[in-house]
Amino acid sequence: FELDPALAVQWRTGNHLFSWEGLELSWTTRQMDQWYFQIDLGFDGEREESDSEDGRLNGIEDRDDEFAATGEVRYAFDGDWRNYIGTRISGGGSDFGALGFLFAGWRFGDRQDGGGTEVFLFSIFADSNNLNRDFGITSTESAASGLAQTDLDGGYRSSGLRLIDRRFIGRHLQIVSGFEFQYFGGDVQDSPLAREDFTLELELGVLFQF
């Protein structure tokens, strides 16, 4: 369980949205009703030995925040964005590597105000730098931690499902809740740092619209 407060500021003009959220800057636009583009510049989160209270990460070197750029493209099969497909690709220095998403989404209901519920299925692929950033163990770390040395090749990382619900409370307040299930591929499961074959996340956010 983690409490992760972050300040977010958004400004919209026409079909363009500019936002600052935590350590991330982004520009988002919708064009020709059926195309969605987003560019992000931000930092991938750090990992420290102390993140594991039971000592699971003892002897594993800390992973610092890494700068990464991300591009996302979505295409809707209809102007109401009920059904869409997309891809999201992130890249950074050698300490981050490259990460790619493929996804398909569905939005329920007929609301046009940004509220409602949507669900999407996704698969994630990564190069060896990115996989080893999260799940690799070098020979030095192996000697210090007692965990088996692990060097992952690039390729398939995981697949999952994400559910998001947005509800307006009055004119200015929006409550955003999310659920995500992610199941790791076999190579990731074999890493001593993958404590389970899957992850579950629950999220709750509050947005205030001026």
Side-chain angles (χ1 to χ4, degrees), residues 10 15 28 41 50 58 71 105 120 135 140-141 158 178 189 209:
Q10 298 181 343
N15 285 329
T28 304
L41 298 174
S50 59
N58 289 350
F120 58 89
F135 300 104
T140 301
E141 292 173 329
S158 60
Q189 292 179 18
Q209 177 182 345

Side-chain angles (χ1 to χ4, degrees), residues 113-148:
D113 59 0
T117 304
E118 65 179 300
V119 61
F120 58 89
L121 300 172
F122 62 87
S123 290
I124 304 177
F125 302 85
D127 69 357
S128 60
N129 289 330
N130 190 273
L131 284 177
N132 284 303
R133 171 176 169 80
D134 289 335
F135 300 104
I137 300 173
T138 66
S139 58
T140 301
E141 292 173 329
S142 176
S145 67
L147 299 175

Side-chain angles (χ1 to χ4, degrees), residues 145-163:
S145 67
L147 299 175
Q149 181 176 347
T150 303
D151 186 13
L152 299 173
D153 295 327
Y156 175 71
R157 173 180 168 134
S158 60
S159 291
L161 176 146
R162 183 169 177 81
L163 179 69

Side-chain angles (χ1 to χ4, degrees), residues 70-87:
T70 300
E72 180 174 327
V73 178
R74 301 185 189 186
Y75 174 77
F77 295 101
D78 53 76
D80 292 333
W81 283 84
R82 302 285 169 234
N83 306 282
Y84 59 87
I85 56 174
T87 183

